[in-house]
Amino acid sequence: MTDLTPGVACAIGPLVRRIVAPNPGLMTGPGTNTYLVGIDEIAVIDPGPDEAAHLDAIAACGGDRIRWILLTHTHADHAPGAVGLKARTGGQILAFGATGYGEGDEREVIQPDVAIRDGFELEATEFRLTALHTPGHASDHLCYLLERSRLLFSGDHVMQGSTVVIKPPDGDMAAYLESLARLLTLRVRAIAPGHGYVIEDPTAAVQDYLAHRSAREAEILGALAAGDRSVDEIVRRVYADVATELHPVARHSVYAHLLKLAGEGRARGSSIEGAWEAADST
């Protein structure tokens, strides 16, 4: 496996280098992966947090050859550095649309220079990147497929070594599973995730994700059948083998599963704090 040391540019292919941001943590693993694609013309995918040393490392690696700054989504560990990197390099910011990160009065909005959608193609002298709209983790989530090598930059859609948190209302479990299944229809040879190492067997990874979510859904239905009515009760049963400090995170995914089941007519309820029951309960 190649290096995940923050601030160090590491080649993961003839046209691709990775620089890890210095933001390791429970939700980010070793840190957010920033990718530089191209040699003569460079597209940066996910500049990461607005951290000066990290942005300086990206700029030092790509310099004025950085023409584009692409965002997979606008969560705070992936996107805030876009503005600072643009100031350093002059690169254009490309994203699904104007959206923000943070909460309340501290919410910051990123306005892209170019708003892109599913099927958008970025043509450079040495490569072509195709954008794939993959909502679920975030409504604005995009993956980018490097056409020649069939390398997929997956952001937080697929991660190495962990599952993905789906947090409503922007997170949507039904949309996420549909977006995952879509990847199985593509000729993807490897996945460069937003966190962790390159995934060399993408088909197996996606199938594992789908199987994991299917098993969780069955467990949630079992919890409802056993009489659990609140999200927290379901979390305690379904995630009994998971450290309790992760339960606040798990409750978002449980809630997302419940909303999916409600949309399918298989459960009844509406809020993360309210009561839930199986649709066939009397």
Side-chain angles (χ1 to χ4, degrees), residues 45-62:
I45 298 176
D46 281 352
D50 186 13
E51 205 282 336
H54 179 59
L55 299 181
D56 288 344
I58 299 170
C61 187

Side-chain angles (χ1 to χ4, degrees), residues 9-28:
C10 178
I12 64 169
L15 290 176
V16 182
R17 288 158 289 172
R18 177 185 60 214
I19 301 178
V20 181
N23 63 337
L26 182 64
M27 303 307 298
T28 57

Side-chain angles (χ1 to χ4, degrees), residues 160-245:
Q160 184 266 331
S162 67
T163 56
V164 174
V165 176
I166 309 300
K167 182 179 179 180
D170 195 50
D172 184 307
M173 187 63 72
Y176 180 62
L177 296 178
E178 290 175 6
S179 296
L180 274 179
R182 181 186 181 187
L183 298 187
L184 296 176
T185 69
L186 307 174
R187 293 184 299 106
V188 177
R189 294 177 182 168
I191 293 175
H195 307 278
Y197 292 102
V198 172
I199 299 167
E200 301 291 353
D201 191 343
T203 298
V206 173
Q207 289 174 336
D208 285 348
Y209 264 45
L210 290 168
H212 171 76
R213 293 296 182 182
S214 178
R216 284 291 190 222
E217 186 171 285
E219 290 171 337
I220 290 167
L221 285 169
L224 291 174
D228 293 333
R229 291 294 174 259
S230 72
V231 169
D232 288 333
E233 287 173 340
I234 295 169
V235 168
R236 285 193 291 271
R237 182 186 297 271
V238 172
Y239 289 85
D241 58 343
V242 174
T244 55
E245 56 263 32

Side-chain angles (χ1 to χ4, degrees), residues 49-75:
D50 186 13
E51 205 282 336
H54 179 59
L55 299 181
D56 288 344
I58 299 170
C61 187
D64 59 6
R65 293 169 294 144
I66 294 176
R67 292 192 55 196
W68 308 280
I69 302 165
L70 280 63
L71 305 182
T72 60
H73 62 302
T74 49
H75 285 174

